[in-house]
């Protein structure tokens, strides 16, 4: 009875934690984009735009779907499970829609501000810009059809492409295209890199521990050991 009562009480306030889990990351990503706006002319025009908070928010949502595609395929292989294509297919469809909105907003903003020409300059900054967006175009082409979205390999590659694009968007804005002025430069210090790597490693360790310690992703015996004829 104690556990049942506790569960009922938890269900009454669960909506609050769900809402908090959605709102806080959205605020974080929008604020991250706002930081670039505040930096002004120190950021290359390709990434210095008033709609950067919106772009970062759309990118984060797209990243979420990309991570799910990637993680589901890797987990299925590691735990000898079938890839949950029926679940991933509609998610990938939604992701494509958000990618489309992002790309339209991204390039329309460049045209409206009159800085689209910066993308065609023979510079490494322009190159990273095209690589960043090419990853999204690649993801779109990989799973643009329903049949393609039923292919686990294509879902996996699309997830990787989306993650690379999201990573490059942030690296480009805050590092590659960030010019602090003559005589000044910035690159993450060793302690900063170690903290980032440590946080990532802790998250991976936590995921592995939870999925092995608790029945989150149990092995499918029928899939792991096909029936003999």
């Amino acid at each position: 009875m104690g556990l049942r009562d506790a569960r009922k009480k938890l269900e009454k306030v669960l909506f609050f934690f769900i809402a908090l889990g959605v709102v806080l990351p959205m605020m974080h990503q929008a604020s991250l984009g706002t930081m670039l706006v505040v930096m002004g002319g120190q950021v290359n025009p390709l990434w210095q735009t008033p709609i950067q908070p919106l772009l970062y928010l759309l990118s984060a949502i797209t990243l979420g779907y990309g991570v799910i595609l990637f993680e589901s395929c890797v987990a299925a292989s590691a735990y000898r499970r079938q890839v949950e294509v029926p679940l991933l297919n509609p998610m990938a469809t939604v992701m494509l829609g958000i990618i489309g909105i992002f790309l339209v907003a991204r390039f329309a903003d460049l045209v409206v501000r009159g800085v689209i020409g910066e993308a065609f300059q023979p510079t490494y900054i322009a190159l990273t810009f095209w690589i960043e967006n090419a990853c999204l175009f690649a993801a779109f082409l990989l799973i643009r059809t329903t049949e393609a979205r039923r292919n686990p390999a294509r879902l996996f590659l699309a997830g990787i492409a989306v993650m690379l694009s999201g990573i490059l968007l942030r690296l480009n804005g805050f590092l590659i295209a960030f010019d602090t002025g003559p005589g000044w430069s910035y690159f993450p210090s060793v302690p900063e890199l170690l903290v980032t790597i440590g946080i990532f490693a802790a998250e991976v360790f936590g995921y592995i521990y939870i999925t092995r310690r608790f029945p989150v992703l149990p092995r499918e015996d029928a899939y792991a050991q096909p029936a003999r004829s």
Side-chain angles (χ1 to χ4, degrees):
M1 290 297 293
L3 290 176
R4 185 176 299 177
D5 291 339
R7 182 175 180 178
K8 289 182 178 180
K9 292 179 180 179
L10 179 61
E11 289 177 348
K12 291 181 179 179
V13 297
L14 190 59
F15 74 93
F16 173 77
F17 294 100
I18 294 175
L20 203 62
V22 173
V23 173
L24 288 181
M26 292 176 67
M27 293 174 61
H28 165 71
Q29 291 298 325
S31 299
L32 196 61
T34 303
M35 288 179 62
L36 286 181
V37 179
V38 174
M39 291 177 185
Q42 292 180 318
V43 180
N44 186 277
L46 291 174
W47 291 273
Q48 180 51 273
T49 168
I51 69 167
Q52 196 63 267
L54 173 63
L55 294 178
Y56 264 66
L57 180 58
L58 290 173
S59 171
I61 296 173
T62 307
L63 264 172
Y65 285 105
V67 170
I68 290 174
L69 297 182
F70 173 80
E71 178 274 335
S72 296
C73 293
V74 172
S77 176
Y79 292 100
R80 300 180 182 179
R81 296 171 53 86
Q82 292 186 9
V83 178
E84 299 173 318
V85 174
L87 293 178
L88 299 181
N89 193 332
M91 289 186 183
T93 303
V94 175
M95 184 183 75
L96 290 180
I98 301 174
I99 288 176
I101 295 173
F102 176 88
L103 289 174
V104 169
R106 186 83 165 93
F107 284 92
D109 169 71
L110 296 177
V111 172
V112 170
R113 291 190 294 115
V115 296
I116 188 66
E118 293 288 334
F120 298 96
Q121 297 297 321
T123 62
Y124 71 92
I125 291 179
L127 176 62
T128 58
F129 167 82
W130 285 112
I131 294 175
E132 169 195 317
N133 291 282
C135 289
L136 291 181
F137 282 112
F140 199 95
L141 293 175
L142 278 168
I143 55 174
R144 66 186 184 280
T145 65
T146 302
E147 188 64 28
R149 291 192 294 275
R150 291 174 181 159
N151 187 322
R154 285 178 173 265
L155 292 173
F156 176 73
L157 292 175
I160 292 178
V162 168
M163 289 192 298
L164 287 176
S165 176
I167 292 171
L168 282 174
L169 174 64
R170 287 148 182 81
L171 286 179
N172 284 335
F174 285 96
L175 190 62
I176 297 174
F178 181 51
D179 184 5
T180 54
W184 298 90
S185 62
Y186 170 74
F187 189 83
S189 63
V190 173
E192 288 176 317
L193 291 174
L194 290 177
V195 169
T196 301
I197 295 172
I199 293 174
F200 178 77
E203 291 175 347
V204 173
F205 173 78
Y207 176 88
I208 294 174
Y209 175 80
I210 291 173
T211 53
R212 290 189 175 183
R213 179 66 177 80
F214 302 99
V216 179
L217 295 172
R219 290 188 177 184
E220 298 175 347
D221 295 334
Y223 176 68
Q225 299 178 354
R228 297 179 180 178
S229 57

